Amino acid sequence: MQGFFLDRDGVINCERADYVKTWDEFTFLPNVLPALRRLATLNLPIVVISNQSAIGRGLVARATVDAIHQQAQAIIAEAGGRVDDFFVCPHHPALHCACRKPQPGLLEQAAARFKLDLPECLFIGDAITDFQAAKAAGCQSILVKSGRQGAQLQQLMTTDNPAPIVADLAAAVELILSLEQRNYV
Ligand SMILES: [Mg+2]
Ligand SMILES: [Zn+2]
């Protein structure tokens, strides 16, 4: 493994139907801070990959989203964890950009920035579009049930090569750590 990509809403913080527009609306999901501390022990890049169409919809300024990310990053660091960077698609879906998941653009940008081979990377997401983006980019994925599609994830997974589905980020990190351990035996 060379690096980890994490979706934001539904993986790190609670997803809101009306978008996270202020720091007050950003709520860490349970067990996320210790999970990020555990993931950081592997000493590999950890990058958040997030669609934030609220920017393109004019609901929140890009600078505000960046400030929310800096604040989250500081709290994660205080808890002994680490997020190295945030890659955000700010576009309205109607623009059909190359970076809005399920397109692989953001994953490709992050891999280029951190000099990572995508087949050696793993994307943890909560939505089928995360799985599709990972697949399109050629990277591995784990899906978590802590987001809005939690209950239907299994049914939505229409592929003969499905990703593991686990409860939340903490469970995904435990799975990763057990697989990494096995590789080193
Ligand atoms: Mg999500
Ligand atoms: Zn975009």
Side-chain angles (χ1 to χ4, degrees), residues 51 88-92 96-101 106:
N51 287 350
V88 168
C89 165
H91 304 117
H92 193 288
H96 299 291
C97 64
C99 50
R100 181 175 167 80
K101 297 173 290 184
L106 287 183

Side-chain angles (χ1 to χ4, degrees), residues 7-11 15 101 125-127 130 147-148:
D7 176 46
R8 196 194 82 177
D9 301 319
V11 175
E15 172 133 37
K101 297 173 290 184
D126 71 306
D130 295 322
R148 72 194 131 91

Side-chain angles (χ1 to χ4, degrees), residues 86-150:
F86 291 79
F87 282 70
V88 168
C89 165
H91 304 117
H92 193 288
L95 287 179
H96 299 291
C97 64
C99 50
R100 181 175 167 80
K101 297 173 290 184
Q103 299 298 319
L106 287 183
L107 291 166
E108 289 165 353
Q109 286 175 31
R113 174 92 52 90
F114 286 86
K115 300 195 185 346
L116 306 172
D117 296 323
L118 281 161
E120 297 298 321
C121 295
L122 189 137
F123 186 20
I124 304 171
D126 71 306
I128 285 296
T129 45
D130 295 322
F131 171 73
Q132 291 165 334
K135 208 173 167 193
C139 78
Q140 306 166 55
S141 53
I142 295 177
L143 289 176
V144 296
K145 293 194 267 192
S146 50
R148 72 194 131 91
Q149 294 184 336

